[in-house]
Amino acid sequence: MQRKCHRCDRLYTPTDHNTWCPDCMAGKPIVPRKTAKQVAKENRERMEQAYKYARYCVQCGKRFYTNKANKMICGEWECEEKQQKQLLQARRTKERALRGL
């Protein structure tokens, strides 16, 4: 059975009742954990390398990444549904205006 080290959070196979792994018992330095800001920065850099364009959604204003030059809406379900409703409403008002003429 493996156990998580209380000092470095790595899994190790215990040989006795100690709660530290053998490396921590030997006094080896531990690698500090990444902060949320560091992880977010790495994710942002990875996304910028993978995609050509970084855009802001016209519905919610959030930043999203895409390879399509004409994409204006992020992939969120709410944004797409809102856009469809607006397009449908605009189409209906246009049809009503044409019928009235």
Side-chain angles (χ1 to χ4, degrees):
M1 181 177 99
Q2 289 193 326
R3 176 186 279 176
K4 198 176 214 183
C5 177
H6 286 209
R7 182 172 180 235
C8 65
D9 289 336
R10 287 187 314 150
L11 290 175
Y12 73 100
T13 305
T15 55
D16 53 4
H17 65 280
N18 289 330
T19 57
W20 285 9
C21 66
D23 291 340
C24 291
M25 291 295 289
K28 292 185 179 178
I30 61 171
V31 178
R33 295 178 125 195
K34 294 180 183 178
T35 63
K37 286 184 180 180
Q38 290 173 335
V39 171
K41 182 180 177 186
E42 289 176 2
N43 287 342
R44 194 176 329 112
E45 290 172 354
R46 191 176 316 116
M47 293 295 274
E48 288 174 357
Q49 289 176 354
Y51 294 100
K52 290 181 184 178
Y53 306 105
R55 302 282 170 97
Y56 289 96
C57 180
V58 295
Q59 291 294 328
C60 64
K62 287 196 300 187
R63 187 178 180 131
F64 70 99
Y65 297 93
T66 182
N67 283 331
K68 296 182 180 180
N70 61 352
K71 188 160 179 155
M72 301 304 263
I73 300 173
C74 67
E76 297 291 327
W77 183 81
E78 295 90 15
C79 294
E80 290 178 355
E81 176 128 344
K82 199 179 211 181
Q83 182 73 11
Q84 289 297 326
K85 284 181 182 179
Q86 286 179 352
L87 290 174
L88 182 64
Q89 186 178 13
R91 191 176 311 127
R92 284 181 181 163
T93 56
K94 186 177 180 181
E95 288 174 359
R96 288 179 188 148
L98 288 175
R99 285 185 200 157
L101 292 177

